[in-house]
Amino acid sequence: FARIHPMQPDATVQGMLELADVRYVAPMPKDFAASGADCAEHFVFEGGPLAYVSLWDQLQLNSEYAEYAEMQAMLPQRRQDHLDWMTALEDSIRSGAPFAKARDPRQCAFGQWYYTHSSHDRRLNLLLGQFEQPHAMIHALADRLLGMAEGGQSGEALAAFDEAQHTTLATLMRLFDSAQELVVELQRRVAVIVSDGEATCALGADGVRDIVDVPTGALKPNIGHGAASRATTGLIILDDRTVIPMLNWRLFCAAPAPAAA
């Protein structure tokens, strides 16, 4: 089975390939452009380039790792937000300029995401749980230190600011870095190398779930419509009544990938 995820949360779409056509399942490099507008055209396997086909793009579905890809793009921005937040706070303490950044940890861009986010991955949830205390402590600095500065204690406020930079902020920055590393690691897509002796290509998928025996007569005609239906040769009905499309990988190799939405 090649796993791919549709737009609906917690839904899984599986596609089946004939085992006789599968030559190898190769892990994708972390920096490989697996899908989207910049999708790679070739996958290097055993030192040579193979035509690469993104199943996500061909079937117009999301990867189950889309959450991590979005976090990978978002986390550096939110990290920089808090560096900018601290710079603005220091300027307000020194100059008396109004401080316009969010004081409530739930109101900054990261907080709005953080307090509504839930992940299926235990390691990621444990790591994200460590953000709450230092993140809240950083935002609490605004009221405390600006109050000190307004009360004529600017020197003491700057000293406390400097200490927070080297302790609480440093902890928060390390957490952002660790989360960024983890979401890259969690994206474990694979390239399924398929060949029938004439055509050969690499299919990008979220993973391989299982190898199963298909009962005689289990392949039924596919009468559906849309990109996913056109990309199948029929539907496999397993003993437990699970219905899985048989992917027409030869069609993928013959046709150019559709433009990303």
Side-chain angles (χ1 to χ4, degrees):
F1 298 112
R3 291 181 298 169
I4 43 183
H5 268 217
M7 298 296 288
Q8 295 80 7
D10 301 323
T12 302
V13 170
Q14 302 178 90
M16 185 175 285
L17 298 168
E18 291 186 36
L19 185 59
D21 294 339
V22 178
R23 297 292 177 265
Y24 197 79
V25 178
M28 282 187 186
K30 293 179 180 179
D31 58 352
F32 185 77
S35 62
D38 299 322
C39 183
E41 295 183 359
H42 297 92
F43 183 83
V44 176
F45 177 67
E46 295 184 338
L50 293 178
Y52 172 73
V53 178
S54 165
L55 289 181
W56 307 283
D57 292 346
Q58 284 287 347
L59 303 181
Q60 299 178 20
L61 298 169
N62 278 352
S63 165
E64 69 175 343
Y65 301 122
E67 167 197 357
Y68 305 139
E70 291 168 3
M71 287 183 64
Q72 184 179 347
M74 176 272 292
L75 286 169
Q77 300 171 13
R78 302 292 80 87
R79 184 186 193 276
Q80 185 61 47
D81 286 349
H82 287 82
L83 293 174
D84 296 342
W85 191 97
M86 290 290 282
T87 298
L89 178 59
E90 182 180 19
D91 179 64
S92 293
I93 295 170
R94 292 184 181 279
S95 68
F99 182 73
K101 300 285 187 180
R103 302 189 186 203
D104 184 339
R106 293 178 176 268
Q107 294 304 311
C108 72
F110 175 73
Q112 291 177 26
W113 171 84
Y114 179 77
Y115 286 102
T116 59
H117 176 77
S118 178
S119 174
H120 297 294
D121 186 82
R122 180 175 178 273
R123 284 190 298 164
L124 183 56
N125 276 332
L126 288 173
L127 179 57
L128 290 176
Q130 299 177 47
F131 274 79
E132 185 165 14
Q133 183 177 10
H135 181 242
M137 290 174 65
I138 285 294
H139 282 271
L141 288 173
D143 287 341
R144 181 164 69 90
L145 301 189
L146 291 174
M148 292 170 64
E150 291 167 2
Q153 297 178 293
S154 294
E156 292 86 342
L158 288 171
F161 176 88
D162 185 65
E163 180 182 1
Q165 274 192 310
H166 291 89
T167 55
T168 309
L169 180 64
T171 297
L172 187 61
M173 294 297 102
R174 285 195 295 270
L175 288 172
F176 272 114
D177 292 340
S178 295
Q180 179 73 359
E181 292 173 3
L182 180 56
V183 296
V184 172
E185 179 186 339
L186 290 175
Q187 298 176 57
R188 298 176 179 174
R189 300 177 179 91
V190 300
V192 182
I193 313 301
V194 289
S195 177
D196 63 0
E198 296 182 3
T200 302
C201 64
L203 305 177
D206 287 330
V208 175
R209 172 158 294 177
D210 203 354
I211 298 174
V212 299
D213 292 324
V214 177
T216 303
L219 180 61
K220 305 298 181 182
N222 183 10
I223 59 175
H225 301 284
S229 294
R230 290 193 299 272
T232 64
T233 58
L235 301 175
I236 300 291
I237 303 177
L238 301 181
D239 290 339
D240 63 358
R241 312 308 297 172
T242 300
V243 179
I244 302 173
M246 175 66 77
L247 299 180
N248 184 4
W249 66 266
R250 295 166 184 81
L251 173 65
F252 299 153
C253 291

